[in-house]
Amino acid sequence: MVENRCILLASRPMGKPTPNNFAEVSRPVPELQEGMVLVKVDMISLDPAMRGWMNEGTTYIRGVALGEVMRAFAAGHVVRSRHPDFAEGDWVSGLLGAQTYAAVPGQNLTRLDLSLGPLEWHLGILGMPGMTAYFGLLERGRPQAGETVFVSGAAGIVGATVGQIAKIKGCRVVGTAGSAEKCRYLIETCGFDAAIHYKNDDVAARLKECCPEGIHVFFDNVGGEILDIGLAHLARGARVVICGAISQYNEPQMCGPRNYMKIVTARGLLTGIIVFDFQERYPEAVAQLSAWLKNGQLHTRTDLVEGIENFYPALMKLYNGSNFGKVVLKV
Ligand SMILES: NC(=O)c1ccc[n+]([C@@H]2O[C@H](COP(=O)([O-])OP(=O)(O)OC[C@H]3O[C@@H](n4cnc5c(N)ncnc54)[C@H](OP(=O)(O)O)[C@@H]3O)[C@@H](O)[C@H]2O)c1
């Protein structure tokens, strides 16, 4: 009998997740109801938001229940279908969970076109994080040619994509990252104008030096101290896009910005983005991003981890910064 290997949320983390917060179990592959599709999951996406999903209660999405398969974006191929729109062999993605087989309603699946790029890209630059970068920057940040865009967490999948789109739009781009290798990557591969090693550099001093006219668009993935330093350097009319706050996700109490009055003096705009609000426009972003990838204006990298048993170490790469590129678990 084919077994479904699943990662369950066994307990809720207090602070940083530990291995004991998860349990691996094997279950029979689920029966298919009418309208459902059975997907063999080939790749599971690890995303910073998963930390929030482990908490009780509801924010923009309800928390994962204890004993439930850990929620995860994933991609794979159809092995059986009782839905008219899907047939065996189709490539699909969706919130399939951290498991090797998923039985899901057909309407919850997105069909993938692998001629646009390998499967892992459909969880990264052509998937949810790429959509976040595209709509977060263009719809919320509204960068104009000649403006300065500052991106925190810039070597991650969202940040690196944001910075490169801003370059395509004619902006000057400055980013922060947590290692010299990542900073080199931002400049040499992604075309950033400057990169700040936030663990070693004096971020405020470097930001002043790198953004002499101030920051026009601040795309923040990190929160905490970097958010405060960025706010202090806003140019008049700046747009601040709060995309995430990874420095705060494992803290018992999230710390908010102290420098928020700079929004007033800069006549700025502080805004947030939830990528799901743009779902109807994903095809437009996929078409544009894949065209840029094809003509070499965009670059992406994947940090591939093998084996569902490595779910926990793969997840933790996001919070300790040891990932270099989009973290994907091959199962
Ligand atoms: N709003 C939305 O709809 C939406 C959708 C997708 C993602 N997001 C957010 O976008 C952000 C980036 O996501 P991603 O998928 O691109 O992840 P990622 O950047 O590929 O990975 C996370 C990175 O965060 C950095 N980091 C970890 N702890 C940190 C800390 N204490 N201080 C500063 N940096 C830290 C690490 O890089 P370093 O080596 O540089 O430290 C790590 O590589 C996250 O905040 C995520 O929640 C939001």
Side-chain angles (χ1 to χ4, degrees):
M1 191 178 62
V2 185
E3 293 263 278
N4 180 23
R5 291 174 72 190
C6 315
I7 304 294
L8 309 182
L9 181 67
S11 58
R12 300 199 186 280
M14 309 283 284
K16 268 196 180 162
T18 69
N20 293 337
N21 295 133
F22 306 98
E24 190 189 324
V25 297
S26 282
R27 290 174 170 168
V29 167
E31 285 298 310
L32 273 197
Q33 309 287 325
E34 193 56 41
M36 305 275 280
V37 177
L38 182 66
V39 181
K40 163 66 184 67
V41 173
D42 294 293
M43 290 188 177
I44 297 170
S45 176
L46 282 306
D47 292 289
M50 290 167 115
R51 178 62 189 82
W53 301 344
M54 292 169 206
N55 293 337
E56 201 165 6
T58 299
T59 49
Y60 64 98
I61 192 168
R62 74 163 176 84
V64 176
L66 291 181
E68 193 181 352
V69 173
M70 184 58 211
R71 181 184 295 134
F73 283 98
H77 61 280
V78 173
V79 288
R80 216 174 316 136
S81 175
R82 294 190 65 191
H83 190 285
D85 295 348
F86 294 95
E88 196 182 321
D90 287 348
W91 291 97
V92 292
S93 69
L95 278 170
L96 305 178
Q99 55 187 343
T100 51
Y101 286 89
V104 282
Q107 70 267 21
N108 294 356
L109 292 172
T110 300
R111 183 186 299 283
L112 303 180
D113 176 358
L114 293 199
S115 74
L116 301 179
L119 193 61
E120 58 271 25
W121 286 13
H122 293 266
L123 294 174
I125 196 159
L126 299 179
M128 184 278 289
M131 303 301 103
T132 306
Y134 185 90
F135 292 110
L137 179 69
L138 298 179
E139 294 295 331
R140 297 285 194 259
R142 299 186 172 272
Q144 305 297 311
E147 288 189 328
T148 297
V149 174
F150 173 52
V151 191
S152 62
I157 179 65
V158 173
T161 309
V162 165
Q164 292 176 89
I165 298 173
K167 284 307 299 177
I168 292 169
K169 297 293 174 185
C171 299
R172 175 177 168 73
V173 178
V174 177
T176 59
S179 75
E181 194 189 7
K182 288 183 182 181
C183 287
R184 252 195 324 276
Y185 165 74
L186 291 179
I187 291 173
E188 291 171 7
T189 307
C190 299
F192 280 48
D193 296 281
I196 301 171
H197 185 337
Y198 75 89
K199 290 179 181 166
N200 284 0
D201 293 350
D202 176 339
V203 179
R206 286 276 290 129
L207 207 50
K208 203 169 169 191
E209 186 183 298
C210 298
C211 307
E213 292 172 9
I215 298 164
H216 298 101
V217 178
F218 177 10
F219 194 100
D220 186 33
N221 291 309
V222 164
E225 209 185 326
I226 291 181
L227 171 58
D228 256 326
I229 296 172
L231 288 177
H233 285 81
L234 295 185
R236 195 170 171 144
R239 285 80 69 203
V240 181
V241 183
I242 305 291
C243 175
I246 194 156
S247 73
Q248 303 298 306
Y249 293 167
N250 291 311
E251 297 298 325
Q253 187 84 48
M254 284 213 184
C255 124
R258 289 185 310 270
N259 279 339
Y260 70 92
M261 277 303 286
K262 190 68 200 207
I263 295 288
V264 178
T265 54
R267 287 80 162 165
L269 185 73
L270 181 68
T271 182
I273 178 191
I274 289 291
V275 64
F276 304 129
D277 296 346
F278 293 91
Q279 217 149 5
E280 281 177 8
R281 290 179 58 196
Y282 284 1
E284 161 198 333
V286 170
Q288 180 59 84
L289 292 168
S290 51
W292 284 332
L293 283 160
K294 202 158 266 178
N295 71 16
Q297 282 180 283
L298 258 191
H299 171 89
T300 192
R301 56 182 290 158
T302 306
D303 188 330
L304 200 73
V305 180
E306 297 258 354
I308 196 161
E309 65 281 6
N310 289 319
F311 173 84
Y312 174 76
L315 175 71
M316 293 314 289
K317 281 179 157 225
L318 296 167
Y319 308 117
N320 61 31
S322 63
N323 67 310
F324 196 171
K326 167 72 199 140
V327 186
V328 171
L329 192 61
K330 191 164 184 275
V331 297

